[in-house]
Amino acid sequence: MMRRLVWAIILICPLLLLCGCWDYTEIEILDFVLGAGLDQVEPDYLVVTEMIKTSGSAQEAQVETVVLTTHGRSLSSAARALSSPAGRDVFWSHAQVFLVSEEVARGGILSAIEYAVRSHHMRSTVAMFVTRDCTVEEVFKSKPPFNDTVSEHLGVLIDLHAVVSNFYPQQVWEFTSDLTAQGISGTLPTIQLVHEQGEKVPIVKGTAVFKKDRMVGWLDGEESALFSLLKGKFQRDHFVMETRTSEGSFPITYQIMGNKVDIKPVVKGERPRMNIKISLQLSVVEVGHGAKISFQNEQEVKNIEEQIAHTFNRRTKDLIEKLQLEYNSDILGFGQLLRRKEPDIWRRYSEDWDSFFPLLDVEVEVKCTIAFTGLSSQPIIVRD
Amino acid sequence: MFFWRRAKQKKPRGLTSVTASLDTNIDWFKQDIFANDDTIVYRRFRTGEPQSRACVLIFAEHMVKHEFLSEHIVRAMMQGPLPNGLHRDDLIDYITERIIHSDAVTVTGSFTKLAELITGGRGVLLIDGCDLGIAVDAQGWAKRQVAEPPSENVVRGPRQGFTEDLGGNVALVQRRITNPAFKTKFLTVGTQSNTKVAVLYVDSVASPALVEEVLDRIQKIDIDAVIDSGYIQELIQDSPYSPMPTIGHTERPDVVAGKILEGRVAVLVDGSPFALTMPYLFVEAFQSNEDYYNHWVTATFHRIVRYISFFITTSTPALYLALISYHPQLIPTNLVISIAASRQDVPFPGIVEVVAMGLVFEILREGGVRLPRPVGQAISIVGAIVLGDAAVSASLVSAPMIIVVGITAVAGFVISTLYDTAVLIRLLLVLTSSILGLYGYILGVMAIVIHLASMKSFGVPYLTSMTEFLGQNVKDAMVRVPWWRMTLRPRYLAAQDRKRLQSTAGSKDR
């Protein structure tokens, strides 16, 4: 028994040495791609990547970024070609952002996302962006003031969406599912470069609107914030509004404390309509120009609430009109809602949604309450 | 002197029992049984007049209380005159009943028995003309004071620990269970050492089959000597090839009392301060006596900490290795970059680093344990400086590896009874995960769990109460429920008398 056991162990041990570890790597020979982008598709793919370069001793490791550009006949071949200039095995699983230039977006985004969706190297949670008025390479070569890498900077901006909401974040899988679903079009947030203390700094602001797989136009920051609100995203956004009060007209800053959006298709007679109900809870953050407004005055508050509701109503209608008439792109997913709630009606229009969508009647109803006024409900009254 | 005597006298041969002649008896002891043994003392004296008789008191010099022998045997015999006409049994009865002041007396005529009694520390009294010997208990040798056991410290709880004295150890337990149901059975093990072994249990609680099994296993031991309870443990335990302990050991009488009150059996061995308790289950490694003295919430918390520590000490190096060698995508980006940076100049692959650092730590620990305390401190200082700092600056190992080894080591000390086992488990998991990554780690864990589930300790499945979700057994496994909820003893032990807390009705009010 014992002898057999010993023999078994002696025979099994060399077997362990025979089996190869095909998946084995050493972590220090990997080059981590933090962000990638596609600048052009024709005549060949131009892939820009931001990679991490580690140096220094074991105790004082230093990290710097390297931006590499490679060409290839496909995205994957360009990505593979990276290994040669990088001199290491390129590791894609830590990529956080994927940028697409306006040119590529307008020419058809499928050429960019096919590899991102198919490859197991890139995660489906990678955040996607379209660069506006700049190339991907310029974005990656810009210098964010606080974060070490551009990709990290962009990742932080996405996390800050609730605070600065003038874009609508999209990950590869969300964008792809919008592209492939019926009755909804895709959007991607936009990256712009601004000048800050002599350096170019990338910011995320605005939205690129797609029609099928091609980009058709932009939404600016304010429109994007409203779009994000209509999409039901949690927001703590600030906005300034010129408000008429009993004391005159003043700019007052409000913060959204609670937002609830309910979009419902209503079928009356032949044609479906969309009914949008927005309810907002607001907090007064700052009252401009020394206005003496007391928020204990019920009449005053009601008046202000009505003004805000009216403004939101108008802006929502403007945005939808722009989407209907200018871009003819159903990025709010009215068609999808109709398909879910009224499948019979949808079947009638699904073939011809493109020509029906611009004619769709949309009703907007905004309810607005000022729930908080900060620490004081009284104005600061200066006396001698 | 001996040569002279041997040459002159004819050596009596083949004596098995005491003769009536005192000189023959003494010679037999001197020249045969205790030949060349200088520790045996033969004190000759005569009883008081008128019926004066020659007597001898034989004892091992350093095993007895000298004052007791001189006062209560020699002096009593010299003073008390023996009445006339007493022979053999009557004489022995008279002496044991009226003269010798001792609570424990053995009368026998067998030389081998008497010899054993002498080496066991008794005084043997032989009287001329009588073919029986009287052995009087007078054991007295250097004993350690009852002190706090160094291997099992408590913050709150009794501070008594076992010593090397079997009788004292049994008394320490008996004092905690003053009840006739508390039983002690003495056995003798070891053909050379004749070591006394005590089997302790509570009659009304412990299953008779278990007691029978323990006694049977101990009786079957055929070994020359038993120096420590570890001998017994290894000779009677289940799954002897497994590194997992299937018999528990403790230095604390309160732990033994607690365990036998649950229906376990304890074995104490003369000369060893470590008591054995059986059956021993996996969950017991995570129970501490302090759990039962502290508030149940804190006790539960500490118990969970122990489970987590066991996971950390067995798995951290394996998981670290699997992650950095096979699954760098599972590490958060910032961490993976800093690990990669710190491994930049390290010349060895991860597996070499893990095994080497683990080995170095074990060497340091072993060195620190065996060395005298002042030198041991020097070892730990050298270890801390060499490992913590110099090795990293010299790029021999990476800084994260130091953290992994450190947390592994610290967590290992939390469950001290499983420390050695944890080292082996850790090594196994490191090897499997170095070959197959996380997949290998999971296979390794499965192998260990299957092994544990296949084991038994004295008929009780080793994983009992860890594989259940409901019932009384669970109340003292992952958590320690309050005493008023632990109304019953564990079913697998105390089948005959399960009720621990009498008033279960009143418990619901609290």
Side-chain angles (χ1 to χ4, degrees), chain A residues 25-26 28 54 88 94 123, chain B residues 325 328-329 331 333 343-344:
Chain A
T25 53
E26 285 295 335
E28 66 269 18
T54 52
R88 289 188 173 181
H94 279 286
R123 296 193 177 200
Chain B
S325 312
Q329 63 269 35
I331 312 173
T333 306
R343 283 191 51 82
Q344 207 61 235

Side-chain angles (χ1 to χ4, degrees), chain B residues 162 200 210 214 229 233 236-237 245-260 264-268 274-281 284 457-458:
Chain B
F162 287 131
L200 279 57
L210 173 66
V214 173
S229 57
Q233 176 176 0
I236 68 170
Q237 74 176 354
T246 50
I247 287 181
H249 60 83
T250 177
E251 258 189 290
R252 306 190 66 93
D254 54 318
V255 173
V256 169
K259 299 245 187 224
I260 66 176
R264 289 186 175 81
V265 174
V267 172
L268 291 164
F274 283 93
L276 307 176
T277 58
M278 57 215 73
Y280 184 78
L281 310 177
E284 283 178 70
S457 173
F458 287 84

